[in-house]
Amino acid sequence: MIKPVFAVRQGVYHYHYDIPCQDCIGWNQNDRVVALALCDGAGSCKDSGKAAAYFSGITPKLLCACFDELFSLAEQTDDMLLKRAFMELLKNADGTQEFWNNDALTTLLFVAVRDDGGWLAGHIGDGEIFVYNVSRVVKVRTGEENFAALQDVE
């Protein structure tokens, strides 16, 4: 069993200057996959907070629903084709059309883990997306590796 843990904290700069925090976190899981997403809205854009909230919610759902397809694609193709496939999933999801404009800019970071240890992680923002498999995981505190490092045994 994988247990997602996350927190959001407003930075000192945001607090001091009364700037809203547009960071949003979302997660989803099914029988085999757990997915997390973090969005950081561009503070200078009027709808970025809404876009961050939307994409941090829809991304984990899409990753759980399409993990096997994306993971298989990651193993057999280059990053550009995988980038296009994931962007098409996002663009075709219900409700996303209102956010594909310059008033709703947000950065998206995500990770999805399958119960057999397969991972996908990505970054959409600044004009780029990188989706890749993680081949090795190490829990720094204990030195455990791979699937054992992901277990919550304490």
Side-chain angles (χ1 to χ4, degrees), residues 19-149:
I19 298 170
C21 178
Q22 295 181 333
D23 296 352
C24 296
I25 295 175
W27 73 281
N28 194 19
Q29 70 182 47
N30 61 26
D31 309 3
R32 301 190 59 224
V33 178
V34 63
L36 297 149
L38 165 69
C39 287
D40 178 8
S44 59
C45 301
K46 73 178 182 94
D47 292 329
S48 290
K50 292 178 192 173
Y54 178 80
F55 285 109
S56 65
I58 193 70
T59 299
K61 292 175 185 173
L62 289 172
L63 288 168
C64 284
C66 301
F67 184 90
D68 291 336
E69 177 185 349
L70 291 169
F71 191 81
S72 176
L73 191 58
E75 291 181 318
Q76 12 175 332
T77 190
D78 63 31
D79 289 340
M80 287 303 292
L81 187 56
L82 186 57
K83 168 184 171 176
R84 288 187 198 119
F86 189 72
M87 290 299 290
E88 284 303 310
L89 279 175
L90 283 176
K91 285 182 180 179
N92 291 322
D94 287 340
T96 61
Q97 289 71 27
E98 73 176 282
F99 297 115
W100 295 105
N101 64 68
N102 288 334
D103 288 328
L105 299 179
T106 187
T107 298
L108 169 63
L109 301 168
F110 62 84
V111 64
V113 183
R114 193 170 49 197
D115 61 357
D116 66 359
W119 286 57
L120 288 173
H123 170 229
I124 299 173
D126 307 323
E128 297 293 331
I129 177 175
F130 304 98
V131 181
Y132 51 90
N133 296 333
V134 176
S135 60
R136 183 169 176 240
V137 178
V138 177
K139 186 183 285 186
V140 175
R141 187 171 31 84
T142 64
E144 293 171 301
E145 295 187 17
N146 300 320
F147 190 73

